[in-house]
Amino acid sequence: GSLWFIVNKQRALPANYVPAGLRQPAIRLRASGSSEMLLRDETATAVEQMTAAAAKQGINLMLVSGYRSYGLQQSVYGGNVAREGQAGADQTSARPGHSEHQTGLAADLGSTNRFCELETCFGQTPEGRWLVAHAHEFGFVVRYPDGKQAIVGYTYEPWHMRYAGDRKSVV
């Protein structure tokens, strides 16, 4: 249940892992009612606070993707393999069990106008620039930053936020 566990290409979750306390955040959603619109409670609260703060500055964010079960990630990864080949998919998509989305701590965010949704150009939108400047204030990091593929293992994803906890939980 720790916020600080690491899931990446080398560290996997069991196929049957489902985080406790999943809920739908009270924000705009890409697909209301989808299991992908769930986040762990503390992540949902932080994303609600962050989107409210952004809205006060004219930045309109929505949840594009949150929790993904092992089975759903199998489907996502399989689709990417079909389109890009396995080598290509491994640069842009986590294998089942290796996705931060399965933790309930990852949130793909986008603009409510859906411009550049899940595309690298999102980083150049007002919403993407706002997230880079402010996500840390709410306990989030841009998990796959530009120019860090050799370190993080995936291509740049300016929309992929990973909740690490607020500063009070770190101190």
Side-chain angles (χ1 to χ4, degrees):
S2 171
L3 295 178
W4 296 31
F5 64 95
I6 303 295
V7 176
N8 59 25
K9 289 185 176 193
Q10 292 77 38
R11 299 180 67 143
L13 291 166
N16 64 349
Y17 177 78
V18 177
L22 289 172
R23 73 172 177 88
Q24 186 173 286
I27 65 169
R28 284 273 307 265
L29 306 170
R30 177 184 188 196
S32 185
S34 165
S35 65
E36 242 186 315
M37 299 296 105
L38 302 174
L39 297 169
R40 276 181 49 169
D41 182 57
E42 58 270 58
T43 308
T45 297
V47 85
E48 289 165 348
Q49 293 167 350
M50 183 168 64
T51 58
K56 288 179 184 175
Q57 296 179 32
I59 302 297
N60 298 303
L61 296 167
M62 71 173 182
L63 181 64
V64 174
S65 180
Y67 169 72
R68 281 191 211 133
S69 67
Y70 184 97
L72 180 54
Q73 189 63 30
Q74 258 181 326
S75 177
V76 168
Y77 180 75
N80 286 331
V81 169
R83 279 189 304 281
E84 306 168 26
Q86 187 167 355
D90 283 341
Q91 299 304 307
T92 61
S93 180
R95 292 180 181 204
H98 295 266
S99 174
E100 289 187 330
H101 285 284
Q102 191 179 347
T103 69
L105 299 169
D108 290 343
L109 299 175
S111 170
T112 57
N113 67 18
R114 302 190 72 174
F115 182 71
C116 289
E117 186 174 279
L118 301 178
E119 296 179 29
T120 56
C121 58
F122 177 72
Q124 299 308 310
T125 66
E127 294 82 5
R129 289 192 303 268
W130 190 93
L131 284 170
V132 166
H134 298 283
H136 69 279
E137 297 167 12
F138 301 89
F140 289 92
V141 295
V142 179
R143 182 64 174 89
Y144 307 122
D146 195 17
K148 302 295 182 187
Q149 183 174 354
I151 297 167
V152 299
Y154 296 101
T155 56
Y156 175 47
E157 291 189 0
W159 60 86
H160 185 94
M161 303 291 124
R162 166 52 156 90
Y163 186 65
D166 63 28
R167 288 186 215 157
K168 290 175 240 143
S169 67
V170 177
V171 179

